[in-house]
Amino acid sequence: MRRLLVTGGAGFIGSNFVRFVVERTDASVIVLDAMTYAASPEALADLPGDRVEVVQGDITDAALVDELVGRLSGPHDAVVHYAAESHNDNSLQDPSPFVQTNIVGTFTILEAVRRHGVRLHHISTDEVYGDLELDDPERFTESTPYRPSSPYSASKAGADHLVRAWVRSFGVAATVSNCSNNYGPWQHVEKFIPRQITNLLEGGRVKLYGSGENVRDWIHADDHSSAVLTILDKGEIGRTYLIGADGEKSNLQVVRLILEQLGHEPDDFDQVMDRPGHDLRYAIDSTRLRQELGWAPQFSSFEEGLARTIDWYAEHRDWWGPKKAATEAAYAAKGQ
Ligand code: NAD
Ligand code: TDX
């Protein structure tokens, strides 16, 4: 039976992946998560204890990582590495934990999988490729040069380079995936979509950075999880796969959809201070993943996925309510 060590498995996308694996395979999972402000142990609470073991610890703790990676041995066992500091705005306030977790943490994981000869799948982001013009006919592909803009994306780019070097120099059995913007349940209220939904649910207003012309390529977290499972099963060692669901929307379009779905007027939003260095557009060409590995996203309608996400936040105030005031206070202090 397959065993997976999932770092960051109590975060937004990691917890979705753990649930996905438990519901669709017979694998057992060890979650390694530092339980930072971004973690939601609640997201794992109802999963069966005999399938999911949760270990609280830091991915930069070499002894702990070594011990956990050493528990994996079967041909299908793997480390799936989600743990990261993940929010661009936070990286502009204090880059230090981004360098520590995203770069030093990935180095620590790499050294452990090298020692134990264990397969690694490294989770990365499309932001390593920088940004595109609004009218650029090309989207990001696996051969787009790296050109990260923010401390967050630079730290993820650094981690990706380490993984590739460990594959080439040490023969580590690793794959990499770079995914576009995720949405769905359990995403922290600091992020764009949950922030706007919960602002409106609390009787507040939507906060749009700048003009809202920036474009993001949205994918439901379930589709990200199915893509990662596909790469674990069929991916070629040493290869990078881009994960995207052809979901490009401007921030203004997303805001208008959220306003409409919650019964507000289309212009019921505040334009706030823009993000410094704000990337204009991300767009993923996921042809390789689709053609070589036969993957396809299941969420065909962003509008429908968004409506389900809004319902989920309306039903989970107990979870996000306590995080909301401090998050909004931090934004307000920056004029956002
Ligand atoms: P998140 O911030 O919701 O979760 C990150 C998790 O990692 C948290 O549970 C946190 O406690 C844990 N963590 C942080 N530092 C740690 C450390 N030093 N040791 C152990 N655990 C630690 O992030 P997310 O949005 O779920 O993103 C997960 C991964 O997916 C990240 O690698 C991110 O770069 C990548 N990614 C995210 C998106 C997106 O849209 N959110 C898109 C593409 C790729
Ligand atoms: O209040 C807001 N208003 C607003 O207009 C916030 C929080 C964001 N925005 C804009 C900034 C971006 O153009 O919305 C867009 C999305 O912002 P984020 O949710 O912060 O995501 P982004 O910066 O695009 O990065 C996300 O996708 C790639 C994840 O946070 C990263 O972890 C992932 O790598």
Side-chain angles (χ1 to χ4, degrees), residues 86 88 125 127 152 181 195 207 209 216 251 275 278:
S86 68
N88 273 300
T125 170
E127 297 193 15
Y152 162 68
N181 282 61
R195 183 181 184 203
K207 307 288 180 187
Y209 291 176
R216 296 295 181 264
N251 292 341
R275 173 184 288 171
H278 196 173

Side-chain angles (χ1 to χ4, degrees), residues 206-324:
V206 162
K207 307 288 180 187
L208 187 62
Y209 291 176
S211 64
E213 66 174 343
N214 307 67
V215 170
R216 296 295 181 264
D217 190 353
W218 293 99
I219 181 172
H220 194 278
D222 278 352
D223 282 331
H224 188 178
S225 293
S226 73
V228 171
L229 211 48
T230 301
I231 296 166
L232 277 175
D233 286 336
K234 302 192 221 164
E236 191 184 315
I237 296 302
R239 228 152 151 77
T240 290
Y241 297 89
L242 263 54
I243 305 173
D246 302 331
E248 281 189 72
K249 294 249 178 304
S250 73
N251 292 341
L252 183 58
Q253 283 176 306
V254 174
V255 153
R256 290 228 157 102
L257 279 171
I258 295 171
L259 285 166
E260 185 189 333
Q261 294 192 0
L262 280 166
H264 293 261
E265 294 301 316
D267 289 333
D268 251 353
F269 60 83
D270 296 334
Q271 283 180 299
V272 296
M273 178 97 81
D274 206 351
R275 173 184 288 171
H278 196 173
D279 280 341
L280 186 54
R281 173 176 165 236
Y282 306 138
I284 288 268
D285 178 348
S286 58
T287 304
R288 173 183 284 181
L289 180 64
R290 292 169 192 245
Q291 289 190 347
E292 291 185 12
L293 305 190
W295 173 82
Q298 296 303 306
F299 279 77
S300 50
S301 157
F302 176 74
E303 287 74 4
E304 197 185 310
L306 184 65
R308 279 170 57 172
T309 305
I310 290 174
D311 289 345
W312 188 91
Y313 278 87
E315 288 159 11
H316 289 79
R317 281 171 186 263
D318 289 357
W319 169 70
W320 58 260
K323 305 174 197 295
K324 187 70 182 159

Side-chain angles (χ1 to χ4, degrees), residues 56-312:
Q56 180 166 2
D58 201 297
I59 55 164
T60 62
D61 179 341
L64 175 63
V65 169
D66 190 74
E67 192 258 307
L68 296 177
V69 172
R71 291 204 223 159
L72 308 180
S73 58
H76 302 294
D77 291 1
V79 178
V80 189
H81 177 34
Y82 287 90
E85 286 290 337
S86 68
H87 193 34
N88 273 300
D89 291 321
N90 294 344
S91 81
L92 297 165
Q93 292 300 112
D94 179 10
S96 162
F98 288 77
V99 172
Q100 194 59 25
T101 288
N102 300 0
I103 299 181
V104 179
T106 301
F107 162 74
T108 310
I109 302 281
L110 281 165
E111 285 294 80
V113 296
R114 173 155 88 106
R115 258 191 308 275
H116 292 282
V118 166
R119 162 92 190 266
L120 170 68
H121 181 68
H122 172 67
I123 303 293
S124 191
T125 170
D126 58 1
E127 297 193 15
V128 299
Y129 300 114
D131 59 356
L132 299 163
E133 295 300 327
L134 293 178
D135 60 356
D136 197 326
E138 302 296 323
R139 298 184 290 173
F140 299 138
T141 69
E142 286 78 2
S143 53
T144 303
Y146 274 42
R147 194 172 60 85
S149 318
S150 73
Y152 162 68
S153 51
S155 68
K156 293 295 291 186
D160 294 11
H161 288 316
L162 291 181
V163 175
R164 288 174 180 192
W166 261 241
V167 169
R168 178 153 170 178
S169 301
F170 303 124
V172 161
T175 38
V176 176
S177 55
N178 298 76
C179 188
S180 63
N181 282 61
N182 285 222
Y183 73 98
W186 302 110
Q187 187 169 30
H188 195 279
V189 291
E190 69 188 355
K191 302 288 186 350
F192 178 51
I193 288 180
R195 183 181 184 203
Q196 314 313 338
I197 294 171
T198 54
N199 278 2
L200 292 174
L201 290 174
E202 279 199 326
R205 285 174 65 81
V206 162
K207 307 288 180 187
L208 187 62
Y209 291 176
S211 64
E213 66 174 343
N214 307 67
V215 170
R216 296 295 181 264
D217 190 353
W218 293 99
I219 181 172
H220 194 278
D222 278 352
D223 282 331
H224 188 178
S225 293
S226 73
V228 171
L229 211 48
T230 301
I231 296 166
L232 277 175
D233 286 336
K234 302 192 221 164
E236 191 184 315
I237 296 302
R239 228 152 151 77
T240 290
Y241 297 89
L242 263 54
I243 305 173
D246 302 331
E248 281 189 72
K249 294 249 178 304
S250 73
N251 292 341
L252 183 58
Q253 283 176 306
V254 174
V255 153
R256 290 228 157 102
L257 279 171
I258 295 171
L259 285 166
E260 185 189 333
Q261 294 192 0
L262 280 166
H264 293 261
E265 294 301 316
D267 289 333
D268 251 353
F269 60 83
D270 296 334
Q271 283 180 299
V272 296
M273 178 97 81
D274 206 351
R275 173 184 288 171
H278 196 173
D279 280 341
L280 186 54
R281 173 176 165 236
Y282 306 138
I284 288 268
D285 178 348
S286 58
T287 304
R288 173 183 284 181
L289 180 64
R290 292 169 192 245
Q291 289 190 347
E292 291 185 12
L293 305 190
W295 173 82
Q298 296 303 306
F299 279 77
S300 50
S301 157
F302 176 74
E303 287 74 4
E304 197 185 310
L306 184 65
R308 279 170 57 172
T309 305
I310 290 174
D311 289 345
W312 188 91

